[in-house]
Amino acid sequence: EIGHAALALADGTRHRELRALLDACVRMRTPQDAARTAAPDPGRLVPLLLTAARGVSEERHWDVLHALRVAGLAA
């Protein structure tokens, strides 16, 4: 659901809300749950999730990146 909501926000002009949604996702969910958020459109959502994760911390960025790779959503 979060992934679809993020795509809808990205398609509109709701960039601040998109950043807030993904920031909350990577802060409040496990890296594995955050990674599953990218499933609806990995090409668009993976970079956005990684940007949000890097905004939290470098450690969170690497944790989310690893989870994305394990899930087969990032190279």
Side-chain angles (χ1 to χ4, degrees):
E1 292 178 19
I2 294 172
H4 291 289
L7 289 171
L9 291 170
D11 287 340
T13 58
R14 313 292 302 249
H15 301 290
R16 187 173 64 182
E17 290 87 350
L18 171 62
R19 287 190 304 273
L21 174 66
L22 294 179
D23 179 72
C25 178
V26 298
R27 284 180 187 274
M28 304 305 293
R29 296 183 177 268
T30 66
Q32 296 77 16
D33 285 342
R36 283 192 285 275
T37 300
D41 190 344
R44 291 174 63 197
L45 293 173
V46 165
L48 295 171
L49 274 172
L50 290 175
T51 299
R54 182 167 274 138
V56 172
S57 71
E58 198 62 31
E59 181 180 354
R60 181 55 75 156
H61 174 260
W62 287 111
D63 290 345
V64 172
L65 178 59
H66 176 72
L68 287 162
R69 287 178 175 158
V70 169
L73 298 171

